[in-house]
Amino acid sequence: MLIDTHCHLDAPEFDTDRMAVIEKSLNNGVTGIVIPAVMKKNLGIVKALAAQFKGGYYALGIHPMYVRYAKDEDLADVELAIQSALDNEDIRLVAIGEIGLDFFVPEISTGIERERQLFFYKEQLKMAKKYQLPVLLHVRRSQDMVLKYLRQLNIRGGIAHAFNGSEQQAKAFIEQGFCLGFGGTMTFTRSLQIRRLVTQIDMQSIVLETDAPDIPPAWLSGDNRRNSPENLPRIAQVLADLRGMSLDDIQKITTQNALRIMPRMQLSYVQ
């Protein structure tokens, strides 16, 4: 049994067959799927979608790449949605996310755009601390700055999603109480650094994800490059092969890690 800790099931790429994809994934052994919000407009959408199937969970936040379209007041909407979920004992809310910093895209990596990213990131970290929720972090070419504010605000617990940093940076996130999320990139033989990293760090610090419909694994090509949570078992098998472990052990350990790092999920998760 596996948990997809990061999957954008609400994306338009799934509009024609979303429930069929979910059914196939559940039948394929994916017993939990976390759907993170990325902007004000889909805060309610991810919540409603997660409620439609057994094993559906969600996170609330504003993604760094959508900050440029956001208003300061949107942060109040995020907090209001968090408060509402907690007040109504909605155990499907498991984290704040997807939040973080993106310094890969040039037009949002400097000047006012960079400052806006930093402002939204810090404000949402404060929410995580206030409501004692883990965070799902976007860390594209921003690992050190992301870590700086985790330390500054004493945020402990969450997932560094689609991790692509150095071993030293990996250890820094782990020391801060975070797990690292790995998915499709790990399946490419040319991804030498990531494949080496997943064999070096403690298995207790690894969770699996798809980031569907993005980051397709190596076996998807041509016109069929939409990623899906259906691919998670095969991604898990790649990790098992790299570590020289059984698929069963990989499933058990990564599931336990996800439940530990997102404790609200434990309230309803059934394998």
Side-chain angles (χ1 to χ4, degrees):
M1 303 301 169
L2 289 162
I3 295 174
D4 187 343
T5 60
H6 202 107
C7 177
H8 297 283
L9 264 177
D10 62 309
E13 286 87 343
F14 295 111
D15 282 352
T16 60
D17 63 346
R18 183 171 290 109
M19 296 315 295
V21 166
I22 292 170
E23 184 177 359
K24 288 178 182 177
S25 301
L26 296 175
N27 290 339
N28 209 22
V30 181
T31 48
I33 301 174
V34 180
I35 313 165
V38 297
M39 54 183 161
K40 173 184 174 179
K41 187 170 71 173
N42 75 337
L43 296 174
I45 293 172
V46 298
K47 175 181 178 178
L49 179 55
Q52 290 182 38
F53 64 98
K54 180 181 176 181
Y57 302 92
Y58 69 100
L60 296 172
I62 297 177
H63 190 293
M65 291 184 67
Y66 288 87
V67 163
R68 64 190 322 193
Y69 310 113
K71 300 176 181 178
D72 288 4
E73 307 90 85
D74 293 355
L75 289 166
D77 291 304
V78 172
E79 184 162 17
L80 185 62
I82 293 167
Q83 289 175 337
S84 176
L86 296 178
D87 289 346
N88 290 288
E89 299 182 352
D90 182 358
I91 56 179
R92 292 177 184 264
L93 173 66
V94 294
I96 290 181
E98 179 178 357
I99 69 171
L101 299 170
D102 191 307
F103 297 155
F104 175 77
V105 180
E107 56 266 33
I108 64 172
S109 301
T110 58
I112 187 64
E113 297 283 1
R114 183 185 178 101
E115 292 305 310
R116 292 284 291 166
Q117 279 198 62
L118 287 166
F119 170 70
F120 271 74
Y121 174 50
K122 288 185 282 186
E123 290 303 306
Q124 291 179 100
L125 286 183
K126 292 174 185 176
M127 291 182 206
K129 187 168 186 177
K130 179 178 179 180
Y131 296 105
Q132 297 183 311
L133 288 168
V135 290
L136 305 183
L137 292 174
H138 181 97
V139 290
R140 197 157 61 157
R141 289 195 183 172
S142 57
Q143 286 88 351
D144 292 338
M145 189 67 76
V146 167
L147 280 162
K148 173 183 175 180
Y149 290 104
L150 292 178
R151 291 169 177 144
Q152 190 176 97
L153 294 169
N154 193 28
I155 304 297
R156 301 192 62 82
I159 298 171
H161 146 66
F163 189 78
N164 193 20
S166 67
E167 183 180 2
Q168 182 179 6
Q169 289 167 333
K171 290 179 178 178
F173 277 103
I174 292 167
E175 288 171 0
Q176 201 67 26
F178 279 70
C179 280
L180 310 181
F182 296 98
T185 305
M186 176 180 63
T187 66
F188 289 85
T189 56
R190 65 177 182 272
S191 298
L192 299 178
Q193 179 176 317
I194 290 178
R195 288 164 74 91
R196 180 170 57 250
L197 184 62
V198 297
T199 66
Q200 293 172 334
I201 61 176
D202 193 314
M203 267 303 303
Q204 304 303 316
S205 300
I206 294 175
V207 293
L208 293 172
E209 60 175 56
T210 60
D211 198 30
D214 299 320
I215 315 187
W219 50 86
L220 297 183
S221 61
D223 295 332
N224 184 32
R225 286 185 55 78
R226 182 190 73 171
N227 199 4
S228 159
E230 299 168 65
N231 290 308
L232 198 64
R234 196 167 169 186
I235 290 171
Q237 183 63 64
V238 171
L239 178 59
D241 294 342
L242 289 171
R243 299 228 21 152
M245 298 173 62
S246 71
L247 178 59
D248 185 55
D249 283 343
I250 291 293
Q251 291 175 331
K252 287 178 181 177
I253 295 171
T254 58
T255 295
Q256 290 168 358
N257 294 345
L259 293 172
R260 184 187 74 249
I261 214 71
M262 293 180 285
R264 287 177 60 81
M265 188 181 288
Q266 299 178 30
L267 301 174
S268 63
Y269 180 75
V270 179
Q271 296 191 40

